[in-house]
């Protein structure tokens, strides 16, 4: 295991590995999304409380999970990068941020469109929504910081530090529905079980896997570009660049 | 099957605007990211090749 890890942690080998993995994750995401949407729209029944409006859940919850999860993965790579100065770690963090921001935006957007018919408001300043908005601003702030610092190593470190500080926000988002009074409904899935109808849950989980696969494919695509850029003086990249 | 007809499907029990507004924007956002990712890779390759020719001269 350790051998493999070091082997693939080298940008040159990881570039090739990522290139082989991307089509699998991309097609996996597409197939899962088709199955998930089919279940979501044609198999899952109408909700007895929310009618058809609840069908937003099949993107809202997976997107919200991915927004938080990608941030945690970014924080993980930032910590590894700061601790061990591994080149690939910082590139992974940079590659993940835009996709994390995208999913957070989707969760806010779909939340607004779900909130309007259910709560009568597009937006309320409660803990869950506000902390999720802060998550989006964190993503944007970290990306702006990277863009603003010309020195790559300093940018990596500054971004990693901000990512780690911002990580406290993720548990706040997750537990906000328990800690504070809110319009937002509680977690649909808890360690003690779920309150959801089984087929609705199945559709939502399949969509969550689709989002997960998509995020992996997107981040790997982005990290390959970063690797080329940063390793451009090495022989193996020069060989790729040969016409 | 939940729907009596296509118009029934698009209406989403009166919540069409909210449901389809969610799905449409999500779809557009993801397609946009895929386009940007492709462009990013192509542009980087082009730029690095140009830099390389420059350095060789």
């Amino acid at each position: 295991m350790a051998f493999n890890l070091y082997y693939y942690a080298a940008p040159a080998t990881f570039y090739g590995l990522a290139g082989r993995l991307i089509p699998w994750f991309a097609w996996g995401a597409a197939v899962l999304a088709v199955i998930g949407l089919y279940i979501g729209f044609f198999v899952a029944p109408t909700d007895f409380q929310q009618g058809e409006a609840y069908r937003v859940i099949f993107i809202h919850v997976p997107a919200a999970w991915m927004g938080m999860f990608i941030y945690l993965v970014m924080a993980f790579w930032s910590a590894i990068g700061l601790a061990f100065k591994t080149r690939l770690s910082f590139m992974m963090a940079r590659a993940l941020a835009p996709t994390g921001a995208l999913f957070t935006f989707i969760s806010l957007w779909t939340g607004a469109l779900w909130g309007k018919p259910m709560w009568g408001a597009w937006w309320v300043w409660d803990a869950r929504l506000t902390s999720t908005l802060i998550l989006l601003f964190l993503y944007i702030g970290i990306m702006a910081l990277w863009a603003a610092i010309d020195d790559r190593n300093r940018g990596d470190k500054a971004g990693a530090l901000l990512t780690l500080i911002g990580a406290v926000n993720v548990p706040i988002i997750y537990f906000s529905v328990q800690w504070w009074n809110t319009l937002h409904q509680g977690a649909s899935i808890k360690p003690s079980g779920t309150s959801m109808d089984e087929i609705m849950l199945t559709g939502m989980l399949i969509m969550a896997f689709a989002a997960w696969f998509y995020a992996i494919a997107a981040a790997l695509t982005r990290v390959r570009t970063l690797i080329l850029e940063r390793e451009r003086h090495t022989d193996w990249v020069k060989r790729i660049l040969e016409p | 099957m939940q729907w009596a007809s296509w118009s029934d499907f698009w209406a989403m029990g009166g919540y069409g605007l909210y449901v389809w507004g969610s799905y449409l924007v999500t779809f557009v956002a993801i397609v946009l990211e895929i386009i940007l990712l492709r462009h990013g890779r192509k542009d980087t390759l082009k730029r690095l090749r140009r830099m390389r020719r420059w350095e060789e001269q």
Side-chain angles (χ1 to χ4, degrees):
Chain A
M1 184 65 202
F3 167 75
N4 276 335
L5 213 62
Y6 283 113
Y7 177 72
Y8 284 115
T13 37
F14 190 75
Y15 181 87
L17 175 71
R20 285 193 300 280
L21 290 175
I22 289 165
W24 292 97
F25 283 109
W27 282 107
V31 170
L32 285 168
V34 169
I35 299 170
L37 289 174
Y38 178 78
I39 293 174
F41 281 106
F42 297 107
V43 184
T46 306
D47 188 74
F48 73 99
Q49 276 181 326
Q50 303 197 357
E52 309 299 349
Y54 93 93
R55 292 185 200 274
V56 175
I57 203 173
F58 299 109
I59 36 178
H60 178 73
V61 173
W65 281 348
M66 288 312 298
M68 291 189 282
F69 182 68
I70 289 175
Y71 195 94
L72 291 181
V73 178
M74 252 176 81
F76 168 79
W77 286 120
S78 300
I80 297 284
L82 287 176
F84 302 109
K85 298 185 173 58
T86 36
R87 287 175 293 170
L88 195 55
S89 312
F90 291 124
M91 292 191 241
M92 286 302 291
R94 288 198 191 221
L96 284 160
T99 303
L102 175 84
F103 277 116
T104 308
F105 164 74
I106 291 172
S107 82
L108 288 168
W109 176 268
T110 56
L113 280 166
W114 196 0
K116 184 65 182 168
M118 290 301 121
W119 306 339
W122 302 102
W123 181 263
V124 287
W125 290 100
D126 86 330
R128 174 53 75 80
L129 280 68
T130 308
S131 53
T132 305
L133 186 65
I134 290 171
L135 181 69
L136 181 63
F137 289 160
L138 275 168
Y139 276 122
I140 294 170
I142 293 161
M143 289 190 284
L145 191 63
W146 282 326
I149 301 178
D150 282 330
D151 183 287
R152 183 203 296 158
N153 292 328
R154 284 184 57 204
D156 281 345
K157 281 183 198 153
L161 209 62
L162 181 55
T163 306
L164 286 173
I165 294 167
V168 294
N169 187 45
V170 175
I172 293 179
I173 299 173
Y174 190 79
F175 292 109
S176 58
V177 284
Q178 296 173 28
W179 292 345
W180 289 285
N181 273 325
T182 173
L183 279 173
H184 198 284
Q185 62 197 62
S188 302
I189 298 177
K190 296 183 196 115
S192 55
T194 175
S195 56
M196 273 175 87
D197 176 84
E198 207 165 295
I199 194 69
M200 293 177 185
L201 180 69
T202 307
M204 194 180 84
L205 289 178
I206 291 174
M207 290 300 281
F209 278 113
W212 204 4
F213 276 37
Y214 170 80
I216 293 171
L220 288 180
T221 305
R222 209 174 274 115
V223 88
R224 265 163 65 92
T225 309
L226 286 169
I227 290 173
L228 283 181
E229 213 158 315
R230 294 190 174 196
E231 304 279 308
R232 65 172 178 273
H233 296 300
T234 60
D235 287 334
W236 72 272
V237 174
K238 284 178 184 166
R239 247 173 284 134
I240 289 176
L241 295 177
E242 293 299 324
Chain B
M1 187 63 75
Q2 315 301 321
W3 319 100
S5 66
W6 278 108
S7 64
D8 198 24
F9 177 69
W10 296 119
M12 277 289 142
Y15 296 114
L17 171 70
Y18 307 106
V19 173
W20 299 121
S22 296
Y23 280 84
L24 185 72
V25 169
T26 302
F27 181 77
V28 169
I30 286 174
V31 167
L32 213 65
E33 191 187 28
I34 293 170
I35 292 171
L36 286 174
L37 282 168
R38 291 228 166 128
H39 267 264
R41 183 170 163 78
K42 266 189 215 153
D43 287 354
T44 303
L45 280 171
K46 215 189 278 176
R47 186 159 41 83
L48 293 180
R49 286 200 173 109
R50 205 185 308 128
M51 283 167 77
R52 183 140 162 66
R53 276 199 295 276
W54 226 51
E55 284 164 359
E56 274 172 353
Q57 279 163 13

